[in-house]
Amino acid sequence: MSQVIHFNLMCRVFHKVNFRKVMVGLALMLFTICTQAQTESSKQTQWPQWLGKELQPTANSHWKAEVANESVLYAPAKALPKVLVIVSRKATSYDIALKTLLSEFSRALPQAQWVVKKLPATPNEISSMLQRFEGDVSLVYTLGSRATVEVRKVYKGGKLPVISVNAKDPVQLGLIDQYSGSGDNFAFTSLNLPAEVVLNFIQRFKPTLKSIGILYANTNRSAYLTQFLPLQKVAQQAGIKIVPIAVDENEAELKLDVAMPRAIKTLKQGDPQLAHSVLWLTGSSSLLSRVDEINQHSQQLALISAVPDVVNETEHSALMSFGVSFVNNAHQAAIYGLKVIKGEIEVGQLPVGVISPPDIAISFQQAKRIRQQVPFVLMEMASDVYGVNGTVIRLNGKPVKEQK
């Protein structure tokens, strides 16, 4: 019995001794591996003698260098810039704006990556999404007035710089107090012209102007606040009558084929021959695609739009436009974004981007259809001009022949 106990004790001692040896051996092995790794790392990070030390990047350099296997790899010190675009819904104007942004960045910052996300349904979801992208993206674009307003509500003062594109006037929308800049993490561009400028150009077109029928979507709050109300105010101050034409296909009395005849009847009360009246189409997205229908109900009235993009070479064109094109607005937003990403300016210091002088477009095909003369001075100023057969005469301020 005592021999068995003695044998068990010997085994326990043997196991303890071996366990200690194994542990000591493992520790020595790990130490050797770490020492060798540190040595190899030291060798790798040593600047090679065959390359000048002045080529070694400094702490503030755009480049970082990795030395390994008799080679030096130069890579950008900072991660590739990534841009987040938030869009509320599908719209042709948004497609144009995003395509322009991508085009501008492809030339100036081709390594930038882009992520396009649909605007989440609730403020909490919007906030959570933006917080997830912090540290991952360099810049955020809000595409459209709705996305701009909703993101502004929940992310004012946030970590990421945000720039609006294809959105209405931020001051009139109540997003900021002044045009000189937000002073925070937002910068804005605007599709709107000042109402005084709009009225001035309409009067140049029709010096005897007495009344304006203003078309806007009843559900488009931004068009109502930033385009209808300002023009109504300055027109009434000038003694010009404003006839609202609110359109909403979900309400019987506000359907386009009901609202327009009613408005034309009202315009005729003060201008029986409609010789001193015009129609003004705001930037309501749902109406911009219905220019042909609007023309059918216009009774030969000149249709002038706030959006140059609805004046084109087709039969479904507005007569004229004084405004800001989607392309030029997005071009300005791209310039703002590039300056912010490159660290040339703080986003809150950028003034509201308003195109001046305005983009003017004219369709002489429509002028012929309604037997309307166009003052020569406006044709001289127009950046886009389409002939009586829809042919492109001038585009982006240059005759077509010069662009070929």
Side-chain angles (χ1 to χ4, degrees):
M1 183 70 178
S2 62
Q3 290 178 345
V4 174
I5 294 172
H6 179 69
F7 178 77
N8 287 337
L9 288 171
M10 288 293 290
C11 287
R12 289 176 184 176
V13 171
F14 178 78
H15 284 305
K16 286 182 179 179
V17 171
N18 278 337
F19 178 74
R20 288 173 183 169
K21 285 183 178 180
V22 170
M23 293 302 294
V24 170
L26 287 172
L28 287 171
M29 187 183 298
L30 288 171
F31 177 78
T32 302
I33 292 172
C34 290
T35 303
Q36 289 176 345
Q38 289 176 353
T39 303
E40 290 299 319
S41 177
S42 176
K43 289 180 181 178
Q44 288 180 356
T45 56
Q46 271 188 342
W47 194 252
Q49 295 181 354
W50 48 268
L51 202 60
K53 287 189 175 181
E54 65 272 11
L55 293 172
Q56 190 169 2
T58 62
N60 298 324
S61 174
H62 169 77
W63 301 102
K64 63 179 179 180
E66 297 178 8
V67 182
N69 300 324
E70 293 298 310
S71 67
V72 178
L73 172 65
Y74 285 92
K78 297 181 180 179
L80 292 176
K82 186 182 289 186
V83 181
L84 170 65
V85 181
I86 303 174
V87 58
S88 61
R89 60 182 176 81
K90 182 180 179 180
T92 301
S93 58
Y94 298 165
D95 294 344
I96 293 171
L98 181 53
K99 184 177 180 180
T100 303
L101 288 174
L102 291 170
S103 176
E104 294 297 327
F105 269 75
S106 69
R107 288 192 289 268
L109 198 65
Q111 68 269 36
Q113 299 177 344
W114 291 73
V115 181
V116 182
K117 298 284 287 185
K118 185 178 180 181
L119 180 73
T122 68
N124 285 340
E125 290 175 324
I126 297 171
S127 181
S128 296
M129 181 189 71
L130 288 164
Q131 289 174 10
R132 288 197 304 271
F133 275 102
E134 289 177 354
D136 186 40
V137 302
S138 305
L139 176 69
V140 178
Y141 278 113
T142 52
L143 193 46
S145 296
R146 184 187 166 203
T148 300
V149 170
E150 296 302 320
V151 171
R152 177 68 171 170
K153 286 179 182 177
V154 301
Y155 203 65
K156 178 181 178 180
K159 294 180 180 179
L160 293 173
V162 182
I163 299 175
S164 75
V165 58
N166 207 305
K168 309 291 193 311
D169 189 304
V171 174
Q172 293 171 349
L173 285 174
L175 302 181
I176 54 174
D177 297 326
Q178 53 193 7
Y179 290 95
S180 58
S182 69
D184 51 48
N185 64 315
F186 276 73
F188 299 90
T189 62
S190 175
L191 285 173
N192 296 97
L193 292 177
E196 296 84 356
V197 174
V198 171
L199 183 60
N200 178 270
F201 275 97
I202 293 178
Q203 288 178 312
R204 288 191 187 193
F205 168 70
K206 192 170 285 292
T208 61
L209 184 69
K210 292 182 179 179
S211 53
I212 305 174
I214 304 181
L215 283 143
Y216 64 94
N218 196 45
T219 56
N220 192 318
R221 185 71 176 166
S222 62
Y224 178 77
L225 290 174
T226 68
Q227 293 179 319
F228 173 79
L229 288 180
L231 184 56
Q232 180 187 53
K233 181 179 179 180
V234 298
Q236 288 178 343
Q237 290 174 347
I240 296 169
K241 181 180 180 179
I242 293 297
V243 176
I245 311 175
V247 179
D248 187 342
E249 293 302 315
N250 293 319
E251 295 187 32
E253 288 299 308
L254 297 181
K255 288 180 179 292
L256 185 66
D257 58 2
V258 175
M260 277 204 66
R262 182 171 60 238
I264 298 294
K265 182 177 180 180
T266 302
L267 288 169
K268 283 185 173 181
Q269 291 175 1
D271 181 16
Q273 303 302 318
L274 298 178
H276 313 290
S277 303
V278 299
L279 294 175
W280 174 256
L281 175 59
T282 64
S284 299
S285 300
S286 60
L287 293 179
L288 296 177
S289 60
R290 305 180 69 184
V291 169
D292 187 43
E293 294 177 69
I294 295 170
N295 281 336
Q296 291 174 21
H297 293 291
S298 67
Q299 294 193 19
Q300 305 298 99
L301 274 173
L303 177 62
I304 304 175
S305 175
V307 180
D309 302 69
V310 299
V311 178
N312 51 56
E313 70 277 13
T314 73
E315 296 178 355
H316 314 307
S317 169
L319 167 67
M320 193 178 303
S321 173
F322 313 122
V324 178
S325 72
F326 299 136
V327 170
N328 284 343
N329 173 262
H331 175 75
Q332 187 169 42
I335 292 173
Y336 275 13
L338 288 165
K339 286 184 176 181
V340 171
I341 287 179
K342 293 177 181 179
E344 296 176 3
I345 192 170
E346 291 293 327
V347 66
Q349 297 176 357
L350 287 164
V352 175
V354 179
I355 301 295
S356 182
D359 297 315
I360 299 176
I362 301 171
S363 167
F364 280 95
Q365 186 176 32
Q366 291 301 314
K368 179 182 178 181
R369 181 182 69 83
I370 64 174
R371 299 177 182 177
Q372 174 67 60
Q373 292 186 342
V374 177
F376 183 72
V377 64
L378 292 179
M379 182 177 175
E380 283 186 313
M381 298 173 67
S383 53
D384 298 342
V385 178
Y386 302 91
V388 292
N389 297 317
T391 54
V392 182
I393 297 173
R394 188 184 305 158
L395 200 61
N396 298 321
K398 294 181 180 180
V400 172
K401 291 182 180 180
E402 292 184 12
Q403 299 188 38
K404 293 182 179 180

